[in-house]
Amino acid sequence: MKKLLIFDFDGTLFDTVDDVVICFNKALTIHEFPALTHDEYIERLGGNIDEIVSLILKEKNTPENIDLIKNTYQKLYNSSQKTHSLPFPKIHETLKELQDNGMLVAINSNRTTDSIKNFVNRYLGDIDFLDIEGHNPDYPSKPSPVGVNNLIRKANVARDEAIYIGDSETDIKTAKNAGIDCVIVKWGYGGEKDYCDGYPIGVIDDVCQLMDLI
């Protein structure tokens, strides 16, 4: 039985991509760069903000252009209402069930901690997360295991008692680098390559299946 469940955020707990697409395309248009499609953004998500912007700009990803688009995007995103960003179906109920059964739940993401907390406070206020390990510029981003290792220490559990739940290749690598089990979900932003990876102990298309795996 697992005691600590560490969740990725974007594409696992929350569907956030539409607000990201809207704000990035506004930023690109303002600075006369070509906009991208929804699917093109999906292919580029998973890293920290600098890595994502670099992939968005393709061959025009100079340090100056990255800073330009990043700063404009962050202003637009921070001031937006983010009305399209919501928990995936049955996420709240599942987290509540896990918590009520004595399991520890936590979040590890390349999104900033403050941003994650804003969403959690708005939609998951009755879930007592052990901690939220978001992007910290002083530490390497996922797939570095730094955030996972911090959560395992705080929970005081063995590595075989922890499991990482995510939706993409970055999450698989994060779990592997931390030496813990992994489950991949199919409702997020991953693809067949991720679902066919041999490392996860399970691939699920309904969050209710999670209880059977742990």
Side-chain angles (χ1 to χ4, degrees):
M1 174 70 78
K2 301 299 183 184
K3 296 181 180 179
L4 172 64
L5 284 77
I6 304 172
F7 289 86
D8 170 51
F9 186 78
D10 299 277
T12 302
L13 293 179
F14 276 69
D15 187 3
T16 56
V17 72
D18 286 344
D19 287 317
V20 169
V21 169
I22 291 168
C23 292
F24 261 129
N25 276 342
K26 283 183 180 178
L28 291 169
T29 300
I30 287 170
H31 297 293
E32 300 183 337
F33 290 100
L36 274 64
T37 66
H38 180 278
D39 289 344
E40 286 176 318
Y41 279 107
I42 293 293
E43 294 170 357
R44 289 160 172 79
L45 300 177
N48 63 45
I49 183 68
D50 291 293
E51 294 165 345
I52 292 170
V53 175
S54 178
L55 292 172
I56 288 170
L57 290 171
K58 304 175 185 177
E59 69 277 0
K60 297 180 181 178
N61 61 347
T62 64
E64 294 78 15
N65 285 343
I66 290 173
D67 283 342
L68 184 67
I69 296 300
K70 179 179 73 172
N71 292 336
T72 302
Y73 164 78
Q74 288 177 324
K75 290 176 183 177
L76 291 167
Y77 187 81
N78 290 340
S79 64
S80 71
Q81 294 300 308
K82 305 173 192 65
T83 55
H84 301 286
S85 298
L86 297 167
F88 283 103
K90 296 183 279 190
I91 287 294
H92 176 264
E93 296 90 335
T94 300
L95 290 172
K96 191 74 167 58
E97 182 181 5
L98 293 168
Q99 179 178 272
D100 290 346
N101 278 278
M103 298 176 199
L104 299 172
V105 292
I107 298 174
N108 175 224
S109 169
N110 280 336
R111 178 182 284 267
T112 64
T113 301
D114 285 345
S115 178
I116 297 169
K117 286 182 177 179
N118 284 336
F119 285 113
V120 166
N121 291 338
R122 190 187 309 179
Y123 296 105
L124 303 174
D126 61 340
I127 304 300
D128 184 20
F129 288 99
L130 170 74
D131 204 355
I132 295 173
E133 284 276 344
H135 173 62
N136 184 332
D138 294 330
Y139 298 101
S141 303
K142 292 174 13 183
S144 164
V146 169
V148 170
N149 289 339
N150 288 341
L151 292 168
I152 289 173
R153 280 194 295 270
K154 184 163 187 176
N156 194 28
V157 298
R159 290 191 183 270
D160 62 0
E161 295 173 323
I163 191 165
Y164 198 99
I165 300 97
D167 68 307
S168 71
E169 179 182 16
T170 299
D171 301 315
I172 297 171
K173 288 180 177 178
T174 301
K176 188 181 295 186
N177 290 339
I180 66 174
D181 286 334
C182 175
V183 168
I184 288 296
V185 307
K186 297 182 75 171
W187 56 80
Y189 312 138
E192 283 301 320
K193 179 183 176 184
D194 308 310
Y195 309 149
C196 295
D197 190 290
Y199 188 79
I201 64 169
V203 178
I204 60 175
D205 52 24
D206 188 311
V207 70
C208 295
Q209 296 172 304
L210 187 57
M211 289 297 292
D212 294 332
L213 286 172
I214 60 172

